[in-house]
Amino acid sequence: MKLWKRAVGVLKDKRSIYVAGVSRRTSYRNPHLEAIIIKATSHDDSFVDYKNFQRVYQWARTSPLYMKPLIWSLSNRMDKTRTWVVALKGLMLIHGVICCKIPAIQRIGRLPFDLSSFSDGHTKPSKAWGFNAFIRAYFAYLDQKSFLTFSEIKENNNAKKSSLGEELRRLVTWQSLMDLLLQVRPQGENMRRVGLVFEAMICVVTEVFEVYEKMRRLISQAVARAYEDDHIWPRPGDVEVNLANGIMKKATVQGDELCLFFELCREMGVLNASFSPKVERIPAEEDFRELLFQT
């Protein structure tokens, strides 16, 4: 049955590539780029075509003019699919495009397609539920990450110095983003042995380290901003104190969740068994309490 499904998937991909090849080139449709995206997001669950992934990234970096057809082609592919393999490869592909940090991509805001209610239409629900959950969680994270990137660029363009309260609220937002990211994990034991899920988790783990480092930088900025501000220290009940207290509580919880997450990754082989990343609590409670709770 699996061989039959794979053969059907190959035929679908070949048909899609053919249709793309005979399509008329427009400002939003590039047949050659569309064919590359179809190959990169093929129905083949046995491997990830990183060669075509890199070709897509190269197109994205070449010129902003290619961004519209890239987004259109990928969105069209995602909107039509009901196969978890294609959907997951599409998310990995857009994840890589976002990581290219191209201005045109950073300005798109929300992702141009919606997989928040994705459901595989070709697998029994009893077998597909874990993959569906994985895709929905991965989409939710990338969608929010894209929107947050866009929002921060807008704020930076205003070139206005942030207040202590704004710095703390930004940290709260990134902690919420980390919550979404930590939900991107295989829910079923059977998923841990799936090669494509393994490849996706490598992307997720890399993102965890980057978001965690971003949070550490934000807390350092908040502490520095508080030292710079020549105002009366916040007192219990003030907005800044309430925000800081919530941040510390959330940081403690997320530190424990990160340890569990890394343990799962080691069990899957995503992280080397001998590699045990040290989770330094965010924020450093002593510095934060001394700084924000003086009266």
Side-chain angles (χ1 to χ4, degrees):
M1 183 64 178
K2 188 172 183 179
L3 290 175
W4 170 251
K5 289 179 65 175
R6 184 169 295 177
V8 171
V10 170
L11 290 175
K12 287 182 177 179
D13 292 335
K14 286 184 176 180
R15 181 182 181 279
S16 297
I17 292 172
Y18 171 78
V19 172
V22 298
S23 300
R24 185 170 62 89
R25 184 187 294 266
T26 67
S27 62
Y28 64 89
R29 192 164 191 177
N30 184 305
H32 184 54
L33 177 56
E34 190 172 346
I36 293 173
I37 289 175
I38 293 170
K39 293 176 183 177
T41 59
S42 72
H43 286 76
D44 190 345
D45 63 351
S46 64
F47 83 112
V48 179
D49 189 349
Y50 286 116
K51 178 180 179 180
N52 278 306
F53 268 50
Q54 292 299 327
R55 293 174 71 186
V56 173
Y57 304 153
Q58 186 59 46
W59 276 80
R61 295 188 185 100
T62 299
S63 170
L65 296 176
Y66 294 130
M67 196 55 59
K68 186 183 293 185
L70 191 161
I71 293 299
W72 184 90
S73 298
L74 183 56
S75 298
N76 185 56
R77 181 77 164 164
M78 294 298 97
D79 289 339
K80 289 181 178 180
T81 190
R82 293 194 65 197
T83 303
W84 73 264
V85 174
V86 176
L88 183 51
K89 287 183 177 181
L91 289 174
M92 293 170 66
L93 182 59
I94 193 65
H95 190 173
V97 173
I98 291 173
C99 290
C100 290
K101 298 182 179 180
I102 301 167
I105 279 290
Q106 294 178 325
R107 292 194 294 267
I108 67 173
R110 299 285 185 187
L111 293 187
F113 54 85
D114 186 3
L115 295 179
S116 60
S117 58
F118 176 83
S119 180
D120 188 288
H122 305 285
T123 307
K124 292 181 180 179
S126 59
K127 295 183 178 180
W129 71 269
F131 296 102
N132 294 340
F134 190 88
I135 288 166
R136 293 172 185 175
Y138 198 1
F139 168 79
Y141 170 74
L142 291 177
D143 186 50
Q144 188 60 34
K145 171 71 177 296
S146 181
F147 177 74
L148 180 56
T149 300
F150 169 72
S151 300
E152 290 198 338
I153 288 175
K154 286 182 62 178
E155 292 176 5
N156 292 336
N157 288 339
N158 292 332
K160 179 182 177 181
K161 185 177 181 180
S162 300
S163 66
L164 175 59
E166 289 171 334
E167 294 282 359
L168 294 174
R169 280 188 285 272
R170 185 175 292 112
L171 182 54
V172 169
T173 299
W174 278 86
Q175 284 185 320
S176 297
L177 189 68
M178 177 64 89
D179 280 341
L180 290 176
L181 182 55
L182 292 178
Q183 295 303 310
V184 189
R185 62 175 73 190
Q187 300 294 325
E189 289 289 336
N190 63 315
M191 293 180 62
R192 300 186 185 187
R193 298 185 295 273
V194 177
L196 185 54
V197 174
F198 177 88
E199 296 293 332
M201 284 300 293
I202 293 176
C203 301
V204 174
V205 169
T206 301
E207 194 75 8
V208 167
F209 286 121
E210 292 183 1
V211 173
Y212 199 74
E213 181 58 31
K214 171 72 173 183
M215 291 164 60
R216 289 180 61 81
R217 291 197 301 270
L218 286 174
I219 190 58
S220 296
Q221 291 172 14
V223 171
R225 179 54 43 78
Y227 275 121
E228 291 173 1
D229 290 346
D230 295 326
H231 58 65
I232 299 175
W233 290 105
R235 298 176 180 276
D238 287 355
V239 173
E240 290 89 348
V241 172
N242 291 335
L243 285 171
N245 191 46
I247 288 169
M248 287 189 293
K249 290 179 179 178
K250 169 63 74 173
T252 299
V253 172
Q254 285 189 333
D256 295 335
E257 291 176 342
L258 277 166
C259 290
L260 293 174
F261 180 84
F262 289 141
E263 181 61 31
L264 169 64
C265 291
R266 282 191 291 272
E267 291 175 1
M268 290 183 63
V270 176
L271 287 177
N272 190 291
S274 63
F275 177 62
S276 181
K278 182 180 180 181
V279 178
E280 298 182 14
R281 302 298 179 178
I282 309 175
E285 290 198 13
E286 297 79 6
D287 293 341
F288 221 45
R289 286 187 181 278
E290 181 182 353
L291 182 64
L292 294 178
F293 290 84
Q294 295 187 48
T295 59

